[in-house]
Amino acid sequence: MTPHLDTEQMSAYLDGEVPGSERATLERHLASCPDCTARKAALEGVVRSLKALPPPILTEIEAQSLRRVVRKDLGAGPAPGAEGGFARRTPARGTLWRFVAAGAAVAAVLIGIAVVSVAKLGSPSAHPTAASAPQHSVFASPSPAPAALGTQADVQAYARTLPGVSSFLQQLAPRPEPAPAGTAPQALGPAAAGTAKSGATGTAQSGATGVRVPAANVAPQPPPTLASCTLDAVPSGAALLGASAVAYQGTPAWLIAYATPSTSGGPLNVVNLEVRSQAACALLTSTTITP
Amino acid sequence: MWIADLEALSDEELVRRFVDGKVAEAVDVLLRRHQDRVFGLALRILGSRADALDASQDVFVGVFRKASSFRHQSAFTTWLYRLTVNACNDHARKRSRQPVAAEAIEVAGPDGIGRSDDRMAIAGAMRRLPMEQRSAVIMRDLLGLSYEEIAAATDVAVGTVKSRIARGRAALAGGLGEPTDQPGRLTPRAIPKKSP
């Protein structure tokens, strides 16, 4: 009888990392050795158990935080491709924006922000109904009283009144030809977009509570603005449909609506709604409208 | 260039576009493509979600800072895994403690598949593995990397990888017992010693 398999041989055998000639010898031994067969079964059980573990996945908030840190670091440093060695520092806003604004879709965000930023967003107060008139839309004159929303249904109903969202839902045209790089989009709608990130949010989230955002290398953050919060919320390639000041469950918040495709590379056909706190741009709830 | 066009490109080509063409959007595509894998590897090694996030952040900041030094004769993913393992080692060293894998094996998966007590058993056994064995086993059995890829990512010889994986698995088998005829169940039974 041939010698027993040692642990390395056994493990490599399971991985198919044993040469053909040696493999035949090992298999002959396994066929006649209950001891080695039992050990092989034990190792197979370990491998099977490990492979059955669910893969860890970043939450959307964690992924956004990661993107934000990387973008800031790039914005702070020398041109892409330069060697490291520079100190990490908080990027100038303009530098960061030049980076993120490179895509036409993000240019759409900036146009939306430019409109919104001139509006004086008042403190939240009661609003008669969730689906009240869209006077807080980025496309309309601001009103001193943001809509008071309490549920995701309220968010959806209110978002439908935003001109960009309602127009998008009505038209929902096939994915348009992209505009030449560097040109501004014609409108804050699907024509401004490429494709969006995969995994568009579709479930309610309870906000940032309990999620630890990586602290290392992050300089103290200034209070968010609607502009910075929208930049964080809207992924590259998405089309900004609207942004509006609202009060969500009594918290001053911003409702940000943007369109993404339901599948990577597909047409824009999902309206993503994110409600974020004005205090920290923390995600309070998110939902989608799929016509 | 549109994101959709960039998404069709290989990792290596995206790095080239970022370095040579200053295509900043390539960063977003590479991040989205690899963030879960880098985070998953870091989480399995370090055992803490917060530590894994910190390590992932260091990895991607390092990737784009050092993009020009990326040698295109090797796969981008190999380079990425090497940076991840190094970031985890640095992180563990800074904390002056052996990283634990308590969270590394999440007890309750999002799909609800699997038995939580089995996962707890694996978590306990993983926690006791030396760092280099844990990293090798994770890269092989959870990420499906070949011995050569693991060797490149950890900067050791293939024979060393083979040995680390074998010893790690054997230790896990010893800590878990062996499978019974009940799928997914493990019983605490000793494994025969190494053959003479």
Side-chain angles (χ1 to χ4, degrees):
Chain A
M1 187 175 178
T2 52
H4 289 306
L5 277 64
D6 65 30
T7 305
E8 273 190 37
Q9 283 178 310
M10 189 87 76
S11 176
Y13 172 77
L14 293 180
D15 288 331
E17 298 271 357
V18 172
S21 54
E22 188 183 345
R23 188 174 189 85
T25 306
L26 298 184
E27 285 174 348
R28 271 199 303 277
H29 177 83
L30 281 169
S32 61
C33 178
D35 191 31
C36 285
T37 301
R39 291 170 54 230
K40 173 172 163 283
L43 284 186
E44 282 174 332
V46 167
V47 173
R48 193 166 50 242
S49 298
L50 288 169
K51 287 183 175 171
L53 292 170
I57 294 173
L58 283 167
T59 67
E60 185 56 29
I61 291 173
E62 291 166 340
Q64 284 179 7
S65 172
L66 183 60
R67 283 198 294 273
R68 191 181 308 132
V69 169
V70 172
R71 285 172 176 174
K72 282 190 176 178
D73 189 81
L74 283 170
E83 289 292 342
F86 50 89
R88 292 179 183 178
R89 59 188 187 273
T90 305
R93 170 67 67 187
T95 308
L96 177 63
W97 279 31
R98 272 199 300 280
F99 169 70
V100 293
V106 181
V109 174
L110 294 175
I111 290 175
I113 289 165
V115 177
V116 174
S117 59
V118 301
K120 296 293 184 188
L121 302 174
S123 59
S125 62
H127 200 276
T129 63
S132 54
Q135 60 265 48
H136 310 293
S137 148
V138 295
F139 313 108
S141 301
S143 162
L149 313 176
T151 65
Q152 287 191 333
D154 291 348
V155 172
Q156 291 182 356
Y158 179 72
R160 287 178 185 276
T161 68
L162 299 178
V165 175
S166 61
S167 169
F168 175 78
L169 290 172
Q170 285 167 10
Q171 297 173 14
L172 202 62
R175 183 165 171 262
E177 288 297 315
T183 59
Q186 294 179 340
L188 296 174
T195 58
K197 65 180 178 180
S198 60
T201 55
T203 57
Q205 296 188 35
S206 58
T209 305
V211 176
R212 180 174 156 187
V213 174
N217 308 321
V218 181
Q221 296 292 308
T225 61
L226 178 54
S228 66
C229 190
T230 304
L231 279 171
D232 283 342
V234 181
S236 297
L240 178 70
L241 300 175
S244 177
V246 298
Y248 184 74
Q249 297 181 348
T251 301
W254 292 308
L255 168 61
I256 300 162
Y258 57 90
T260 59
S262 57
T263 56
S264 180
L268 296 166
N269 54 7
V270 177
V271 176
N272 300 264
L273 306 173
E274 294 190 6
V275 179
R276 291 176 171 269
S277 73
Q278 293 185 16
C281 193
L283 188 65
L284 301 178
T285 189
S286 67
T287 184
T288 58
I289 301 174
T290 307
Chain B
M1 172 169 276
W2 288 80
I3 295 287
D5 299 324
L6 290 173
E7 282 173 346
L9 300 178
S10 70
D11 295 336
E12 293 74 20
E13 184 57 31
L14 285 169
V15 173
R16 203 186 307 275
R17 298 286 176 101
F18 172 68
V19 172
D20 299 338
K22 311 291 187 284
V23 181
E25 295 89 337
V27 171
D28 275 352
V29 176
L30 285 167
L31 259 175
R32 280 202 303 275
R33 194 177 286 178
H34 296 290
Q35 62 190 20
D36 283 332
R37 248 184 298 188
V38 166
F39 171 71
L41 176 57
L43 177 57
R44 298 300 191 199
I45 292 174
L46 292 171
S48 152
R49 199 169 182 92
D51 287 349
L53 282 168
D54 283 346
S56 302
Q57 175 184 307
D58 290 344
V59 169
F60 282 110
V61 165
V63 161
F64 298 112
R65 282 184 177 190
K66 301 171 187 166
S68 63
S69 66
F70 170 61
R71 294 190 304 254
H72 284 266
Q73 56 265 39
S74 63
F76 174 77
T77 48
T78 302
W79 187 52
L80 192 62
Y81 291 137
R82 180 197 291 249
L83 291 175
T84 306
V85 170
N86 289 343
C88 289
N89 287 335
D90 289 346
H91 214 82
R93 228 180 347 256
K94 279 180 199 166
R95 286 181 168 272
S96 302
R97 61 171 171 79
Q98 186 75 353
V100 295
E103 288 180 58
I105 310 301
E106 291 169 341
V107 172
D111 53 3
I113 295 172
R115 294 179 56 92
S116 61
D117 50 351
D118 287 352
R119 290 177 175 170
M120 287 293 282
I122 295 171
M126 287 282 282
R127 195 178 303 133
R128 291 187 290 273
L129 285 186
M131 179 89 161
E132 64 274 10
Q133 290 180 20
R134 187 187 312 157
S135 300
V137 168
I138 289 167
M139 283 191 273
R140 175 63 207 171
D141 290 335
L142 298 180
L143 297 182
L145 302 190
S146 69
Y147 285 15
E148 287 75 15
E149 288 171 318
I150 298 169
T154 52
D155 221 8
V156 296
V158 171
T160 305
V161 170
K162 183 178 175 182
S163 170
R164 286 176 178 175
I165 291 173
R167 283 185 283 138
R169 284 173 174 167
L172 287 174
L176 294 171
E178 59 180 328
T180 67
D181 53 355
Q182 284 181 276
R185 295 291 296 130
L186 296 161
T187 55
R189 186 185 140 189
I191 308 296
K193 296 284 186 189
K194 184 178 170 182
S195 302

